[in-house]
Amino acid sequence: MPTQLLTPRFALAAWLGLAGLQPALAAPPATAPASAPASAAASAPSRKPSPDCPGLPDPERILQAFNVARATPRVCTGESPISAGPLRWDARLFSSARISAEQMSDRGRLSHTGASLRERTGQVGYRMRLAGENLGVGHRDLAGVLAHWLDSPEHCANLMDDKFQDMALACVAGGPPYERYWVLLLGREQGQGR
């Protein structure tokens, strides 16, 4: 039987399938997300936290999937394939990502507006030197949102930036129109080498 060559996207999907993460490579909903200004006091003080997305893997499995993706050379925005070193999970970045995902869920829209990354990461004690953020809505699982980001030149470049050393991913289950709100935070803290 001849050997089948896989593109990086489908090699990742195959690995995710072998890792039990059930890849779903469907695109997000066709509706283009709208952005709107965020209010600093968008959430009510007594509101119940939104649940995590059903089936979301534990941080170790998420980190493993992202590190496999970063180790696979790929063309994002340039002409030459790039790869990047492994990331570490950071619980402080997770707290910040979770808050942002809940706010998007509360508003029912994808939005980078509101407090800056420096302000948001600082509020959870992360002394940001560099930071990046990818947002996603509607993707049913980790494989779907990761494949989407790797297929988008700007999101791919962010994810593959070797200057980042830390990461966290949050997904909150919400209501229509998207039902899943994803926030990836990438960072490098002050005092970290490179």
Side-chain angles (χ1 to χ4, degrees):
M1 182 169 153
T3 303
Q4 182 178 9
L5 294 175
L6 299 174
T7 64
R9 175 182 174 185
F10 290 103
L12 175 65
W15 179 86
L16 289 171
L18 292 174
L21 299 180
Q22 303 170 354
L25 298 176
T31 309
S35 294
S39 164
S43 61
S46 62
R47 82 171 199 63
K48 186 177 174 184
S50 301
D52 288 332
C53 293
L56 186 64
D58 63 68
E60 185 177 317
R61 302 281 300 264
I62 293 169
L63 185 61
Q64 188 176 25
F66 276 84
N67 284 336
V68 166
R70 284 172 55 95
T72 305
R74 64 187 77 247
V75 175
C76 293
T77 59
E79 294 179 16
S80 300
I82 58 171
S83 61
L87 296 165
R88 302 178 296 225
W89 185 266
D90 190 284
R92 296 165 299 169
L93 289 180
F94 174 75
S95 294
S96 182
R98 182 103 175 57
I99 291 166
S100 294
E102 284 187 346
Q103 289 172 347
M104 286 193 320
S105 174
D106 289 346
R107 291 188 299 262
R109 65 178 56 122
L110 178 79
S111 178
H112 283 283
T113 59
S116 72
L117 274 176
R118 183 170 300 283
E119 292 168 325
R120 288 187 282 139
T121 58
Q123 289 171 349
V124 295
Y126 189 86
R127 297 177 355 256
M128 180 190 96
R129 179 175 174 187
L130 299 169
E133 177 178 57
N134 285 356
L135 304 179
V137 291
H139 301 281
R140 302 303 294 172
D141 57 26
L142 174 62
V145 74
L146 184 53
H148 173 75
W149 287 333
L150 291 172
D151 283 344
S152 162
E154 293 80 15
H155 292 102
C156 179
N158 207 23
L159 191 122
M160 297 297 290
D161 190 333
D162 200 36
K163 293 177 188 146
F164 294 130
Q165 295 178 330
D166 302 317
M167 75 155 290
L169 176 73
C171 180
V172 168
Y178 303 110
E179 297 181 0
R180 303 271 191 287
Y181 299 84
W182 298 84
V183 176
L184 168 66
L185 289 182
L186 299 155
R188 182 154 132 221
E189 202 164 16
Q190 293 174 13
Q192 289 181 343
R194 277 199 286 170

